[in-house]
Amino acid sequence: MKAFLYLLFLLPLFAVAQSTSKSSELFCTNDYAGQQAIRVKWIYTTVYHPNGMDVFRQEKGSTAWVKLNSSPIVPTKVLPANNQLDAEAKALHKALIESKFSDFSTNPIRAFVLIKALYSDELANYIGITWLDTKVEQGKEYVYKIAVSGTATDVGMSRPIVAGPYTKPLPPEGAKLTRFKKHVDISWKPDIYRYYAVDVYRKTTEETEYKKVNKVPRAIQKEQAEKYSEKSIFYQDTAIEYKANYTYRFVALDYFGQASEMSQEYSVPAADFIPPALPFDIV
């Protein structure tokens, strides 16, 4: 069941790339490790390409594309002895390296490899889906693209990003909660290019701390995002008590595994569902 949930979680990532004219989507963030740099990560339909990838950068106001890598970006076949990967990441890297590309490119295991790489910069580097650009200048705006090494056609392009200090992603916007007796229907305004998933937190009015209620981050399919309306339901919380009053908050997760600040509080009281007391001593 857990494996199935992870596959559902990752489907939107592949769908973003597969449903466009490009076969990859690029995401950028200012470096959260304290460097003056921009991190680039891409979601390619087959995770990697046998020929490797090239990364290019274009500065606003210029028509020139500058190639950033000196050799094709490919998966690292042998992990360095001092790597910090956990056992799961090592096993996933091994599965990628030891599989024929023709087999791996259609195997569901690629979803597990990619989802782990969203949380591990080190694994993302070893499987060849990221680049850290340390040659940027503060205040300048850039766009990045990638191409299969040796070709001139890009397979994905980022949205513009201004180099500067890192700030956390913004939380989801436009949350809408509808309370029923046995569940709460929840939606928010999807933005699949800003974040890939949302965590839902809840507490009763008697509790002091919020607790996460979803087992895996709730990702939204691209077609769901396109059909978003006031009637959309992205998460249904069924673990509620009839008489309890609840407040919810939400956290967005970006493509680098970085969490946003918590959203504002959303209250869903139970008062409307508690019937009035029976009349007493009616004559």
Side-chain angles (χ1 to χ4, degrees):
M1 180 63 180
K2 185 177 180 180
F4 178 69
L5 289 173
Y6 275 125
L7 287 174
L8 285 180
F9 164 81
L10 198 55
L11 283 175
L13 306 187
F14 289 122
V16 168
Q18 292 173 332
S19 61
T20 66
S21 59
K22 304 295 184 181
S23 54
S24 181
E25 290 289 344
L26 269 71
F27 305 94
C28 301
T29 181
N30 283 295
D31 185 51
Y32 39 83
Q35 301 181 76
Q36 181 178 305
I38 291 177
R39 291 180 180 268
V40 184
K41 185 175 286 185
W42 50 90
I43 305 221
Y44 191 58
T45 54
T46 56
V47 179
Y48 75 99
H49 192 282
N51 295 341
M53 291 291 183
D54 291 331
V55 182
F56 300 83
R57 179 188 67 212
Q58 183 184 75
E59 184 180 327
K60 184 178 181 180
S62 172
T63 59
W65 286 96
V66 179
K67 183 181 174 183
L68 302 180
N69 55 301
S70 57
S71 58
I73 300 171
V74 296
T76 301
K77 291 186 177 181
V78 179
L79 295 174
N82 63 346
N83 76 83
Q84 301 297 310
L85 298 181
D86 61 24
E88 181 184 38
K90 289 178 180 178
L92 290 169
H93 175 267
K94 182 178 180 181
L96 180 151
I97 295 300
E98 295 185 354
S99 299
K100 292 182 179 180
F101 176 73
S102 57
D103 295 332
F104 180 81
S105 62
T106 58
N107 193 318
I109 197 170
R110 74 190 197 281
F112 294 89
V113 172
L114 189 51
I115 191 174
K116 187 72 173 181
L118 292 179
Y119 289 95
S120 170
D121 288 336
E122 187 178 13
L123 179 61
N125 184 56
Y126 291 146
I127 66 174
I129 66 165
T130 189
W131 182 264
L132 182 64
D133 184 6
T134 59
K135 305 298 183 181
V136 298
E137 294 184 41
Q138 296 282 312
K140 288 191 174 181
E141 182 176 288
Y142 301 99
V143 173
Y144 293 83
K145 71 176 183 178
I146 61 170
V148 174
S149 189
T151 69
T153 305
D154 66 275
V155 296
M157 187 177 298
S158 76
R159 293 185 171 188
I161 181 172
V162 176
Y166 172 74
T167 57
K168 283 192 172 187
L170 293 173
E173 299 174 342
K176 181 175 180 293
L177 298 86
T178 306
R179 176 72 184 263
F180 297 91
K181 289 183 179 180
K182 296 183 179 181
H183 62 87
V184 178
D185 288 347
I186 303 171
S187 69
W188 51 83
K189 185 179 180 181
D191 189 345
I192 59 176
Y193 291 99
R194 183 163 66 83
Y195 57 85
Y196 68 83
V198 170
D199 278 334
V200 180
Y201 290 80
R202 181 195 68 207
K203 73 178 182 68
T204 66
T205 51
E206 285 74 35
E207 295 174 322
T208 57
E209 295 185 2
Y210 280 89
K211 297 178 181 178
K212 189 170 72 171
V213 298
N214 53 304
K215 293 182 179 180
V216 296
R218 182 68 180 94
I220 305 303
Q221 297 284 349
K222 187 172 188 291
E223 53 268 29
Q224 286 180 294
E226 292 173 343
K227 296 178 180 178
Y228 168 73
S229 72
E230 290 295 316
K231 296 181 180 180
S232 296
I233 300 173
F234 294 150
Y235 186 80
Q236 190 174 79
D237 186 7
T238 58
I240 64 172
E241 296 183 9
Y242 176 73
K243 295 183 179 181
N245 298 306
Y246 294 102
T247 57
Y248 289 79
R249 300 181 80 176
F250 305 94
V251 171
L253 303 172
D254 71 11
Y255 291 87
F256 299 84
Q258 301 300 301
S260 72
E261 299 285 358
M262 276 193 166
S263 71
Q264 67 183 69
E265 292 186 337
Y266 294 87
S267 177
V268 283
D272 291 344
F273 304 103
I274 301 175
L278 293 174
F280 178 75
D281 197 20
I282 297 179
V283 179

